[in-house]
Amino acid sequence: MQEGNLANALGVVKRNIPRADKAAIAALARFGVATIHEAMGRVGLMKPYVRPIFAGAHVCGPAVTVLLQPGDNWMLHVAAEQIRDGDVVVAACTTDCEDGFFGELLATSYRARGARGLVIDGGVRDTKELAAMPFPVFSRAVSAKGTVKSTLGSVNIPVVCAGAVVHPGDVVVADDDGVVVVPSAAAAKTADAAEARERNEVDKRAQLAAGVLGLDMYKMREPLARAGLRYID
Amino acid sequence: MQEGNLANALGVVKRNIPRADKAAIAALARFGVATIHEAMGRVGLMKPYVRPIFAGAHVCGPAVTVLLQPGDNWMLHVAAEQIRDGDVVVAACTTDCEDGFFGELLATSYRARGARGLVIDGGVRDTKELAAMPFPVFSRAVSAKGTVKSTLGSVNIPVVCAGAVVHPGDVVVADDDGVVVVPSAAAAKTADAAEARERNEVDKRAQLAAGVLGLDMYKMREPLARAGLRYID
Amino acid sequence: MQEGNLANALGVVKRNIPRADKAAIAALARFGVATIHEAMGRVGLMKPYVRPIFAGAHVCGPAVTVLLQPGDNWMLHVAAEQIRDGDVVVAACTTDCEDGFFGELLATSYRARGARGLVIDGGVRDTKELAAMPFPVFSRAVSAKGTVKSTLGSVNIPVVCAGAVVHPGDVVVADDDGVVVVPSAAAAKTADAAEARERNEVDKRAQLAAGVLGLDMYKMREPLARAGLRYID
Amino acid sequence: MQEGNLANALGVVKRNIPRADKAAIAALARFGVATIHEAMGRVGLMKPYVRPIFAGAHVCGPAVTVLLQPGDNWMLHVAAEQIRDGDVVVAACTTDCEDGFFGELLATSYRARGARGLVIDGGVRDTKELAAMPFPVFSRAVSAKGTVKSTLGSVNIPVVCAGAVVHPGDVVVADDDGVVVVPSAAAAKTADAAEARERNEVDKRAQLAAGVLGLDMYKMREPLARAGLRYID
Amino acid sequence: MQEGNLANALGVVKRNIPRADKAAIAALARFGVATIHEAMGRVGLMKPYVRPIFAGAHVCGPAVTVLLQPGDNWMLHVAAEQIRDGDVVVAACTTDCEDGFFGELLATSYRARGARGLVIDGGVRDTKELAAMPFPVFSRAVSAKGTVKSTLGSVNIPVVCAGAVVHPGDVVVADDDGVVVVPSAAAAKTADAAEARERNEVDKRAQLAAGVLGLDMYKMREPLARAGLRYID
Amino acid sequence: MQEGNLANALGVVKRNIPRADKAAIAALARFGVATIHEAMGRVGLMKPYVRPIFAGAHVCGPAVTVLLQPGDNWMLHVAAEQIRDGDVVVAACTTDCEDGFFGELLATSYRARGARGLVIDGGVRDTKELAAMPFPVFSRAVSAKGTVKSTLGSVNIPVVCAGAVVHPGDVVVADDDGVVVVPSAAAAKTADAAEARERNEVDKRAQLAAGVLGLDMYKMREPLARAGLRYID
């Protein structure tokens, strides 16, 4: 079956999903979102309206994906059963909706099942309790508004969450800078590229801290002149 | 006079308003906004764009309502005289406006009059000073832009604030999750329902923390199957 | 050359800009944005969507201005060379764009050059690192998305940043309430007006804290009556 | 029962609602929304994001109110039975949602029941067909996305639609300028005020067309001078 | 190569893409977006902010996909070469950008190559000329702002456009109600389902036009009662 | 007096403003906004949220500028006296406000004074009447909400309108693609550049219509290859 067909199909729960390699996930967990996004070739980022509900959280793990209906969190309950230790739940919605789909009770359940956090293109509530646990949540909004449990979505199908495609098992990394999705097959090499990038930055940082200009360090003066930049006094 | 007529009338200050019962307010003050919203039957919530200017504030009290004109905070001064100990001022505006209608001086006055906090569908300023007092404010925006004092609005008429109807004297509860309005006559029974709900959650929380699935605890498997949910491997 | 012509011209770096008087800048640095905005006659404010990436920062200094292209931070590197000790970099963009134009490496360079902070009508990243330095940034968004270095903008031309005109050398003041721009020639008198305003507020604050109403202190009762305000019971 | 309690209650259909006086409705139908809003004392207007799906429509009639759940149009079907000839259906939603709640089939039914149009704080679809009928619709969005029929809202309770309180039976007037709500009891006098206003404008228009300045016609020069306006050359 | 890896890769042009079956495309072309969205099982819709630049356009064809960089339309020129008769170009962007990526000259080229229209998650310009041709465009914005040609995106890779995944060759249908994406493999059966749905609606429409209520036609009264709906007088 | 000081000063009307050269204005009037924006070097454009209230309007003339206060249109009346035949009124506001500042009566007055149209970073009303006159208006919103006349703004000072700096007398050109501002001193050469651009496009259009690719016509293949574009099959 073509993947394009499966995407967004309603009423389906996929139980056995291939998760990204554990070592690769562990390797990726050492880097921030901005670094991984660069290491990916500047792709895979969610839109910046998804923000952490408390500062300083950093989660990295394979995605259990959820497709929600507006005002309905039934599938978040269905998803709980599919969580394995270390997973990050990624919840998209069939339409823009800022209702409070998730709160402290579900977080208690998710944590008991081993979830590391939640990324949701919707709203959440009980933010004080979530911060106290702490259970990291990256969401579009905070809203006390509750939801019903009456219409089917899906679990573990490819979803579009905040503009990024997420396949079940992809590595999801989230921190104060945003959320990035690393396809399973690219996890190891992305971690390598991230490490190379960070190593490379150590020297750059030292030079910049010493007052060297990026203009010189990155050899920009010649291309700037070629592009026509004029200095005036 | 039909209430619909009074709503939003300009140039009026109502002095004697019936405030919700003190015991009911005290009872409601023990619960968060999400719990009260559920206990109300999922109504009465303001839109989620109203956010606290500092985390952790929790206010609960009878509403003194204000209808502002855009860029004009005259009525916030008029309202000060109507504040009694324990009140929460709720300010709507005749049009969307993010100017800084309220700052530290007004907060000093409001606190001296006994106000517990402010909910405003507009902007506020002096946020560092407000947090230091601390004077809890829930607002649509933060803006340093000042306002004039030249056009009449009203005080203690029913207003629509961030999508919720607020009658003077209604109980307003605000915390990190948002703002909910409890009509005076419903305050006591809402507090009871909130308490029942919280008691009920203690056991649920324990079960979920022990790894029991909501699917089983809430007996969702049968209705999910009836709705057509398919599990695939 | 008429200023209107220069505004927004692309591909230009002005090296020698007249900066506002140091004493005036030092004087302005003692006041908050809301006070300065009032002292200016309620003009010069950026739109309130520009927010600090961490609370409590307060910067004040002459502006080095930058005009960026969407998704391109080349000019931020060019600007580094123009920074002198105490400057605040102000970056506008030719179109709305929330990409992460600025991060920890550039901040390291800017700090080494003496910059006090950044105001940007765009996104930034590495927010945790920026807060740890700390390097104050006031931005439109947080985004991990990187940018290219391929299209010319300008440095030290007049720009419109978040709705405010900023000339190179103008004093830019930013705190939790927003960002205000004080033209160089107005810096000294604005600082004087701010000081007078703050002195004046000491007594007002004391009266309000003692329970005096603004209605009486500001003598509003008569103009309110003249405007037609009706009190009802 | 206090009205504040009833507002937004879920799961209720009120069958017999008092509708505004027919003669008053007929009188109001002769005026545009801007005129009526002025005649009302500048209150009762919905937010301007509610726009007509085709230009030139003008509807005026008593409101049948609907409270929808996000992504669910069940109550629009329930409301059909409550429509009487000349009614305008006004649909609010418990949360912001732009799904396509309404289309050509429902419009066919509504028209058969005598509805004059729909005002909805949500999305609609089949816009080409609706324009061809023509069935006037004023909505927040256009969206092809369908909705489910599974969660109860209410019919003929007071609702907040796009920021305006609407009681069942209130007169709703909508045209290219927006939507205004006239409480039943105020319908006749508002129509009179609108007529007086329009009569008054005939002479004003003639003067302005002849080149007389509003400055003189409205005698603004003296108050402008008093406010401190300075003319410079 | 896993599809997840390919998605959003930069700097790639795929020349030979499998396009959906011509007969299936022709069959789908007879239906509107709302009908096809329903026939798809309510998936595949772009967000409703993508709107036609002139009313009444209806396009249906296989997608040539483009991934743009903000403020840069280079890839729209690269895409022109890949267009075959009947294609619809679908352009996503790596970040939100409303610049005018497309205008009359490109439309002239696209039309000469056989393109039926453009769907773009960005801005366009020369709207008067595009309407006069007419060349149907569905866009996020209208903007006169031009773009550069300096940074690589891709052509004919899977993209996320306005929230919907589009694979090259998928059928894209757009009209006044929005834009829907039908995966190639689902095109024929979706057309069949759309036809069945339309046939089914003929009888429903007649009944509704005759005054039959949806409540009865869809047999909703019993489930409404079971859900607890109360009628009051 | 430094221009930076004057900008946004409140309470000032400048009577004698130098207007751009008539011949240059006439020359510019022959071109659309997108062409002029390119001819200007891609600067001077207002943000794309300013849209025409009816399609097909095209205005070009020297600007009479207005700075409004939120919810207050007093200065639009003051501005009427400053209008000369052929002028375009450009109204900014000290804060974001979508109220209906302008309607048919003011338009009658403005037309009588010789105004060619209005560009306003705010709302307008009486849109049907304005279209019937026709009086071209480019606005941020349509709103029936009226405004007061009580707080001073200014007339004929430099303003920032929808992100663009406008000096009194600058040439403002507006059509379906947006609004562009041409500084007086640049008017003649911009018209020349626009003409050259249009002449140049005639041949390009013919080539593109004949099926020549932009890739070849603009000689993009080599730079694309150098940038690393890969073609795959």
Side-chain angles (χ1 to χ4, degrees):
Chain A
M1 186 187 206
Q2 192 206 5
E3 190 249 21
N5 269 339
L6 183 59
N8 293 329
L10 301 178
V12 174
V13 181
K14 191 156 168 44
R15 271 187 291 231
N16 300 313
I17 58 169
R19 284 168 170 82
D21 177 68
K22 281 190 186 221
I25 294 172
L28 281 169
R30 290 179 294 127
F31 304 105
V33 168
T35 298
I36 293 174
H37 172 241
E38 293 288 345
M40 287 271 290
R42 299 201 168 168
V43 299
L45 209 62
M46 291 193 189
K47 289 189 188 285
Y49 63 71
V50 175
R51 299 295 302 144
I53 60 165
F54 55 87
H58 185 174
V59 303
C60 176
V64 166
T65 64
V66 184
L67 183 61
L68 297 164
Q69 299 284 2
D72 191 312
N73 76 345
W74 216 7
M75 290 302 114
L76 288 178
H77 289 277
V78 172
E81 192 173 26
Q82 308 306 320
I83 294 170
R84 295 195 192 159
D85 192 54
D87 284 351
V88 175
V89 179
V90 177
C93 185
T94 58
T95 197
D96 288 351
C97 183
E98 302 202 335
D99 286 354
F101 293 92
F102 183 89
E104 177 246 348
L105 282 184
L106 260 172
T108 300
S109 174
Y110 275 30
R111 191 168 60 170
R113 306 293 297 186
R116 288 292 182 272
L118 171 74
V119 174
I120 183 168
D121 194 353
V124 299
R125 55 185 187 173
D126 302 333
T127 48
K128 193 188 294 191
E129 290 79 5
L130 295 173
M133 295 177 71
F135 189 83
V137 172
F138 299 78
S139 74
R140 176 194 188 99
V142 171
S143 170
K145 183 165 181 294
T147 49
V148 299
K149 294 158 195 18
S150 65
T151 305
L152 295 186
S154 289
V155 173
N156 281 335
I157 64 164
V159 296
V160 176
C161 181
V165 177
V166 190
H167 292 79
D170 283 353
V171 188
V172 173
V173 191
D175 65 16
D176 291 347
D177 281 346
V179 187
V180 69
V181 184
V182 185
S184 294
K189 74 173 180 210
T190 300
D192 291 347
E195 186 162 15
R197 190 176 170 84
E198 286 227 333
R199 246 194 329 260
N200 182 24
E201 286 191 350
V202 172
D203 175 58
K204 284 186 189 168
R205 189 176 295 111
Q207 288 192 58
L208 294 169
V212 175
L213 287 167
L215 285 177
D216 297 310
M217 191 174 77
Y218 298 113
K219 301 189 194 315
M220 289 172 176
R221 292 192 191 273
E222 195 273 331
L224 282 165
R226 208 176 339 117
L229 191 66
R230 290 176 300 126
Y231 284 84
I232 59 178
D233 291 311
Chain B
M1 187 188 205
Q2 193 205 4
E3 190 247 21
N5 267 339
L6 184 60
N8 293 329
L10 300 177
V12 175
V13 181
K14 192 158 166 41
R15 271 186 290 230
N16 300 314
I17 58 168
R19 284 168 171 82
D21 177 67
K22 282 194 184 216
I25 294 173
L28 281 169
R30 290 178 296 127
F31 305 105
V33 168
T35 298
I36 293 174
H37 173 241
E38 292 289 344
M40 287 271 290
R42 297 198 170 169
V43 299
L45 209 62
M46 290 192 190
K47 288 190 188 285
Y49 63 71
V50 175
R51 300 295 303 144
I53 60 164
F54 54 88
H58 184 174
V59 303
C60 176
V64 165
T65 64
V66 184
L67 183 60
L68 297 165
Q69 300 284 2
D72 191 311
N73 76 346
W74 216 7
M75 291 302 114
L76 289 177
H77 289 277
V78 172
E81 192 173 26
Q82 309 306 320
I83 294 170
R84 296 196 192 158
D85 192 52
D87 284 350
V88 175
V89 179
V90 176
C93 187
T94 58
T95 197
D96 289 352
C97 183
E98 302 202 334
D99 286 354
F101 293 92
F102 183 90
E104 178 247 348
L105 282 183
L106 260 172
T108 300
S109 173
Y110 275 30
R111 192 167 61 169
R113 308 291 298 184
R116 288 293 182 270
L118 171 75
V119 174
I120 182 168
D121 194 353
V124 299
R125 56 184 186 172
D126 301 334
T127 48
K128 193 188 294 192
E129 290 78 7
L130 294 174
M133 294 177 73
F135 188 83
V137 172
F138 298 77
S139 74
R140 175 194 188 102
V142 171
S143 170
K145 183 165 179 296
T147 49
V148 298
K149 294 157 199 13
S150 65
T151 306
L152 295 186
S154 289
V155 173
N156 281 334
I157 64 164
V159 296
V160 176
C161 181
V165 177
V166 189
H167 292 78
D170 283 352
V171 188
V172 173
V173 191
D175 65 15
D176 290 348
D177 282 346
V179 187
V180 69
V181 184
V182 185
S184 293
K189 74 174 181 207
T190 300
D192 290 348
E195 185 161 17
R197 190 176 171 85
E198 284 228 334
R199 249 196 325 262
N200 183 23
E201 285 192 350
V202 173
D203 176 57
K204 283 185 188 167
R205 189 176 295 110
Q207 287 193 58
L208 294 169
V212 175
L213 287 166
L215 285 177
D216 297 310
M217 192 174 77
Y218 298 112
K219 300 191 195 314
M220 289 172 176
R221 293 192 191 274
E222 196 273 332
L224 282 164
R226 204 172 348 111
L229 191 67
R230 291 175 300 124
Y231 284 83
I232 60 179
D233 291 312
Chain C
M1 188 189 205
Q2 192 206 7
E3 189 246 23
N5 268 339
L6 183 60
N8 294 327
L10 300 177
V12 174
V13 180
K14 189 155 169 46
R15 271 186 292 230
N16 300 315
I17 58 169
R19 284 168 170 82
D21 176 68
K22 282 193 183 214
I25 293 172
L28 281 168
R30 289 178 297 126
F31 305 104
V33 169
T35 297
I36 293 174
H37 172 241
E38 293 288 346
M40 287 270 289
R42 298 199 170 169
V43 299
L45 209 62
M46 290 193 189
K47 289 190 187 284
Y49 63 70
V50 175
R51 299 295 302 144
I53 62 165
F54 55 87
H58 184 173
V59 303
C60 176
V64 165
T65 65
V66 184
L67 182 61
L68 298 165
Q69 300 284 3
D72 190 310
N73 75 346
W74 216 7
M75 290 303 114
L76 289 178
H77 289 277
V78 172
E81 192 174 24
Q82 308 307 320
I83 295 171
R84 297 197 191 157
D85 192 53
D87 284 350
V88 175
V89 179
V90 176
C93 186
T94 59
T95 196
D96 290 351
C97 182
E98 302 202 334
D99 286 355
F101 294 92
F102 184 90
E104 177 246 348
L105 282 183
L106 260 173
T108 300
S109 174
Y110 276 29
R111 193 168 59 170
R113 307 293 295 186
R116 289 292 182 270
L118 172 74
V119 174
I120 182 167
D121 194 353
V124 299
R125 57 185 186 174
D126 302 334
T127 48
K128 193 188 295 192
E129 291 78 5
L130 294 174
M133 297 177 72
F135 189 83
V137 173
F138 299 77
S139 74
R140 175 193 189 102
V142 172
S143 170
K145 183 165 180 294
T147 49
V148 299
K149 293 156 198 18
S150 65
T151 306
L152 295 186
S154 289
V155 172
N156 280 336
I157 63 163
V159 295
V160 176
C161 181
V165 177
V166 189
H167 292 79
D170 282 352
V171 189
V172 173
V173 191
D175 65 15
D176 291 348
D177 282 345
V179 186
V180 70
V181 184
V182 184
S184 293
K189 75 174 179 208
T190 300
D192 290 347
E195 186 162 15
R197 190 177 169 85
E198 286 227 333
R199 248 196 325 261
N200 182 23
E201 285 191 350
V202 173
D203 175 58
K204 284 186 189 168
R205 190 176 295 108
Q207 286 193 58
L208 294 169
V212 175
L213 287 166
L215 285 177
D216 297 311
M217 191 173 78
Y218 298 113
K219 301 190 194 315
M220 290 172 175
R221 292 193 192 272
E222 196 273 332
L224 282 165
R226 205 173 345 114
L229 191 68
R230 290 176 300 124
Y231 284 84
I232 60 178
D233 290 312
Chain D
M1 186 186 208
Q2 192 206 4
E3 191 247 24
N5 268 339
L6 184 60
N8 294 329
L10 301 178
V12 175
V13 180
K14 190 154 168 45
R15 269 187 292 230
N16 300 315
I17 58 168
R19 283 167 171 84
D21 177 68
K22 283 194 183 212
I25 294 172
L28 282 168
R30 289 178 296 128
F31 305 105
V33 168
T35 298
I36 293 174
H37 172 242
E38 292 288 345
M40 288 270 290
R42 298 198 169 171
V43 298
L45 209 63
M46 290 192 188
K47 288 189 188 286
Y49 63 71
V50 175
R51 299 295 303 143
I53 61 165
F54 55 87
H58 184 175
V59 303
C60 176
V64 165
T65 65
V66 183
L67 183 60
L68 297 164
Q69 301 284 2
D72 191 312
N73 76 346
W74 217 7
M75 289 303 114
L76 288 178
H77 289 278
V78 172
E81 192 174 23
Q82 308 306 320
I83 295 170
R84 293 195 193 159
D85 192 54
D87 285 350
V88 175
V89 179
V90 177
C93 186
T94 59
T95 197
D96 288 351
C97 183
E98 302 202 335
D99 286 354
F101 294 91
F102 183 89
E104 178 246 347
L105 282 184
L106 261 172
T108 301
S109 174
Y110 276 31
R111 192 168 60 170
R113 306 293 296 185
R116 288 293 182 269
L118 172 74
V119 174
I120 183 167
D121 193 353
V124 298
R125 56 185 185 174
D126 301 334
T127 48
K128 194 189 294 192
E129 291 79 5
L130 294 173
M133 296 177 72
F135 189 83
V137 173
F138 298 77
S139 74
R140 175 192 188 103
V142 171
S143 170
K145 183 164 180 297
T147 50
V148 299
K149 295 159 198 12
S150 65
T151 306
L152 295 186
S154 289
V155 173
N156 280 335
I157 63 164
V159 296
V160 176
C161 181
V165 177
V166 189
H167 293 78
D170 282 354
V171 188
V172 173
V173 191
D175 66 14
D176 291 347
D177 282 345
V179 187
V180 69
V181 185
V182 185
S184 293
K189 75 174 179 209
T190 300
D192 290 348
E195 186 162 14
R197 191 176 169 84
E198 286 228 332
R199 246 194 328 260
N200 182 25
E201 285 190 349
V202 172
D203 175 58
K204 285 185 188 167
R205 188 177 295 111
Q207 286 192 57
L208 294 169
V212 175
L213 287 166
L215 286 177
D216 297 310
M217 191 174 78
Y218 298 113
K219 301 191 196 312
M220 290 172 174
R221 293 193 191 272
E222 194 274 333
L224 283 165
R226 208 176 341 116
L229 190 67
R230 290 177 299 126
Y231 284 83
I232 59 179
D233 290 312
Chain E
M1 187 186 206
Q2 192 205 5
E3 190 246 23
N5 268 339
L6 184 60
N8 294 328
L10 300 178
V12 174
V13 180
K14 190 156 169 44
R15 271 187 292 230
N16 300 315
I17 59 169
R19 283 167 171 82
D21 177 69
K22 282 192 183 215
I25 294 172
L28 281 168
R30 290 178 296 127
F31 306 104
V33 169
T35 298
I36 292 174
H37 172 241
E38 293 288 345
M40 287 270 290
R42 297 197 171 172
V43 299
L45 209 61
M46 290 191 189
K47 288 189 188 286
Y49 63 71
V50 175
R51 300 294 302 143
I53 60 164
F54 54 88
H58 184 173
V59 304
C60 176
V64 165
T65 65
V66 183
L67 183 61
L68 298 165
Q69 300 284 1
D72 191 310
N73 76 346
W74 216 7
M75 290 302 114
L76 288 178
H77 289 278
V78 172
E81 192 174 26
Q82 309 306 319
I83 295 170
R84 295 195 192 160
D85 192 52
D87 285 349
V88 175
V89 179
V90 176
C93 186
T94 59
T95 196
D96 289 350
C97 183
E98 301 202 336
D99 286 353
F101 294 92
F102 183 90
E104 178 246 347
L105 283 184
L106 261 172
T108 301
S109 174
Y110 275 30
R111 192 167 61 170
R113 307 292 296 185
R116 287 295 182 269
L118 171 74
V119 174
I120 183 167
D121 194 353
V124 298
R125 58 184 185 174
D126 301 334
T127 48
K128 193 188 295 191
E129 291 78 5
L130 295 174
M133 296 177 73
F135 189 83
V137 173
F138 299 77
S139 74
R140 174 193 188 101
V142 171
S143 170
K145 182 164 181 294
T147 49
V148 299
K149 295 159 197 12
S150 65
T151 306
L152 294 186
S154 288
V155 173
N156 281 334
I157 64 163
V159 296
V160 176
C161 182
V165 177
V166 189
H167 292 78
D170 283 352
V171 188
V172 173
V173 191
D175 65 15
D176 291 347
D177 282 346
V179 187
V180 69
V181 184
V182 185
S184 293
K189 76 174 179 207
T190 300
D192 290 347
E195 185 161 16
R197 191 176 169 83
E198 285 228 333
R199 248 195 326 262
N200 182 24
E201 285 191 351
V202 172
D203 176 57
K204 284 185 188 167
R205 188 176 296 111
Q207 287 192 58
L208 293 169
V212 176
L213 286 167
L215 285 177
D216 297 310
M217 193 174 77
Y218 298 113
K219 301 191 195 313
M220 291 172 174
R221 293 193 190 272
E222 196 273 331
L224 282 165
R226 207 175 339 115
L229 191 67
R230 290 176 301 124
Y231 284 83
I232 60 178
D233 290 314
Chain F
M1 187 188 206
Q2 192 203 7
E3 191 247 21
N5 268 338
L6 183 60
N8 293 328
L10 300 178
V12 175
V13 181
K14 191 156 167 42
R15 270 187 291 231
N16 299 314
I17 58 168
R19 284 168 171 82
D21 176 68
K22 282 193 185 218
I25 294 173
L28 282 168
R30 289 177 296 127
F31 305 104
V33 169
T35 297
I36 293 174
H37 173 241
E38 292 288 346
M40 287 270 291
R42 297 198 170 171
V43 299
L45 209 62
M46 291 193 188
K47 289 190 187 285
Y49 62 71
V50 174
R51 299 294 302 143
I53 61 165
F54 55 88
H58 184 175
V59 303
C60 176
V64 165
T65 65
V66 184
L67 183 61
L68 297 165
Q69 300 283 2
D72 191 311
N73 76 346
W74 216 7
M75 290 303 114
L76 289 178
H77 289 277
V78 172
E81 191 174 26
Q82 308 306 320
I83 295 170
R84 296 195 190 159
D85 193 53
D87 284 350
V88 175
V89 179
V90 176
C93 186
T94 59
T95 196
D96 289 352
C97 182
E98 301 201 336
D99 286 354
F101 293 91
F102 183 89
E104 178 246 347
L105 283 183
L106 261 172
T108 301
S109 174
Y110 275 31
R111 193 168 60 171
R113 307 292 298 186
R116 288 294 182 269
L118 172 74
V119 174
I120 182 167
D121 194 353
V124 298
R125 58 185 185 172
D126 302 333
T127 48
K128 194 188 295 190
E129 290 79 6
L130 294 174
M133 295 177 73
F135 188 83
V137 173
F138 299 78
S139 73
R140 175 192 187 104
V142 171
S143 170
K145 183 165 180 296
T147 49
V148 298
K149 293 156 199 15
S150 64
T151 306
L152 295 186
S154 289
V155 173
N156 280 335
I157 62 164
V159 296
V160 176
C161 181
V165 177
V166 189
H167 292 78
D170 283 352
V171 187
V172 173
V173 191
D175 65 15
D176 291 347
D177 282 345
V179 187
V180 70
V181 184
V182 184
S184 293
K189 76 175 177 207
T190 300
D192 290 347
E195 185 162 15
R197 191 176 169 85
E198 286 228 332
R199 248 195 326 262
N200 182 23
E201 285 191 350
V202 172
D203 175 57
K204 284 186 187 167
R205 189 176 295 111
Q207 288 192 57
L208 294 169
V212 175
L213 286 166
L215 285 177
D216 298 310
M217 192 174 76
Y218 298 111
K219 302 189 194 315
M220 291 173 174
R221 293 193 190 273
E222 195 274 331
L224 283 165
R226 207 174 343 114
L229 191 67
R230 290 176 300 125
Y231 283 85
I232 60 178
D233 290 312

